């Protein structure tokens, strides 16, 4: 997952970013509401974690602008404001979830995974594709019932393919979900990651659609 994290606390923001990266997420950390509004409208993210008390533009204004621009990315508001009126304002502006500080990172991660899964159209937490299974609640892959060991980049690519199994995912779309905004990306890096995944799950599981991107195929059973 690629997450837009909008948090202006100098200690909390980097701490959350580190925790999300430890769970294989690509994270763009932004502290200013104006920059957040722009990135949320122009970049591809699987979800956003949005604080309310921001400089430049407050979180509610940022969220309203995203929704007015037609941006449907799942948004979880993360704030110290626990009043009922604040929650109502957040949901009316278009929030999908609301978490009050202080919080456990494990809960934040599980809520984000659930938002991304539902946005992709999956009601059940465990997705299957042939012999491959993905427990979206804990971010765990298995192949033929055995744990599948993946690097962070491999996890990001495979989770994106799994959430949209049997559909073609454009190459640029995958790249945007694998790397953070300031990353120096080699033009062949995605092909290298896909090659490693094919060796781990089977070469015929990931199809190359020439001129477009990739598709995870399930081969009937378990799809």
């Amino acid at each position: 997952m690629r997450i837009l994290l909008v948090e202006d606390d100098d200690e909390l923001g980097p701490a959350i970013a580190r925790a999300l990266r430890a769970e294989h997420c690509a994270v763009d950390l932004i502290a200013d509401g104006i920059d957040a509004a722009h990135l949320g409208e122009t970049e591809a993210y699987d979800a956003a974690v949005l604080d309310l008390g921001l400089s430049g533009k407050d979180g509610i204004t940022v969220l309203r602008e995203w929704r007015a621009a037609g941006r449907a990315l799942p948004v979880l508001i993360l704030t110290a404001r626990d009043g009922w009126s604040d929650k109502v304002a957040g949901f009316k502006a278009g929030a999908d979830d609301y978490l009050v500080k202080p919080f456990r990172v494990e809960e934040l991660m599980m809520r984000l995974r659930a938002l991304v899964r539902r946005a992709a159209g999956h009601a059940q937490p465990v997705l299957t594709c042939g012999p491959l299974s993905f427990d979206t609640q804990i971010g765990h892959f298995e192949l033929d019932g055995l744990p599948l060991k993946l690097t962070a980049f491999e996890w990001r690519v495979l989770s994106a393919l799994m959430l949209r199994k049997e559909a073609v995912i454009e190459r640029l779309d995958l790249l945007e979900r694998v790397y953070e905004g300031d990353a120096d990306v080699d033009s062949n890096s995605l092909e290298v990651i896909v090659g490693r995944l094919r060796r781990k799950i089977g070469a015929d599981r990931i199809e190359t659609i020439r001129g477009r991107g990739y598709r995870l195929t399930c081969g009937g059973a378990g799809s």
Side-chain angles (χ1 to χ4, degrees):
M1 295 187 292
R2 185 181 177 196
I3 305 297
L4 175 59
L5 172 59
V6 187
E7 171 60 62
D8 66 350
D9 187 290
D10 291 340
E11 294 185 2
L12 182 59
I16 296 173
R18 286 192 298 272
L20 294 179
R21 288 175 181 133
E23 295 294 330
H24 306 318
C25 294
V27 182
D28 290 344
L29 173 59
I30 302 297
D32 179 83
I34 295 174
D35 292 338
H38 174 71
L39 284 177
E41 289 185 23
T42 58
E43 296 289 326
Y45 293 100
D46 292 297
V49 178
L50 180 64
D51 189 14
L52 294 184
L54 303 170
S55 60
K57 289 182 182 180
D58 65 88
I60 294 295
T61 299
V62 170
L63 180 51
R64 285 175 179 156
E65 290 183 4
W66 288 345
R67 297 310 189 219
R71 295 291 285 151
L73 80 159
V75 176
L76 183 150
I77 289 178
L78 182 64
T79 180
R81 303 177 188 176
D82 61 354
W84 174 246
S85 61
D86 295 310
K87 294 180 181 180
V88 169
F91 284 115
K92 281 187 174 181
D96 299 277
D97 203 351
Y98 197 106
L99 185 60
V100 176
K101 304 171 185 175
F103 63 96
R104 293 183 64 89
V105 171
E106 294 86 353
E107 180 179 3
L108 172 63
M109 195 69 239
M110 292 189 72
R111 286 175 181 246
L112 282 175
R113 286 174 176 150
L115 289 177
V116 172
R117 183 189 78 240
R118 291 174 190 140
H122 302 288
Q124 298 300 321
V126 179
L127 311 181
T128 60
C129 183
L132 189 66
S133 67
F134 179 34
D135 188 330
T136 61
Q137 287 185 315
I138 60 175
H140 180 69
F141 279 96
E142 290 186 354
L143 182 67
D144 291 320
L146 298 176
L148 185 60
K149 188 175 181 179
L150 301 169
T151 67
F153 286 147
E154 291 167 358
W155 189 96
R156 293 172 193 171
V157 170
L158 189 55
S159 63
L161 291 168
M162 193 73 168
L163 285 167
R164 293 158 64 182
K165 57 185 179 179
E166 300 289 3
V168 178
I169 302 184
E170 302 289 337
R171 185 177 184 279
L172 180 60
D173 193 0
L174 272 177
L175 280 171
E176 288 178 332
R177 280 165 169 74
V178 171
Y179 295 99
E180 297 174 355
D182 58 354
D184 184 14
V185 182
D186 182 271
S187 60
N188 295 319
S189 60
L190 182 58
E191 286 73 17
V192 172
I193 296 169
V194 170
R196 293 202 304 257
L197 283 172
R198 283 173 170 149
R199 289 192 290 273
K200 291 183 177 183
I201 69 173
D204 59 339
R205 288 287 167 193
I206 303 178
E207 287 186 309
T208 298
I209 310 302
R210 192 171 300 277
R212 295 186 61 192
Y214 299 95
R215 175 171 57 202
L216 182 68
T217 62
C218 301
S223 64

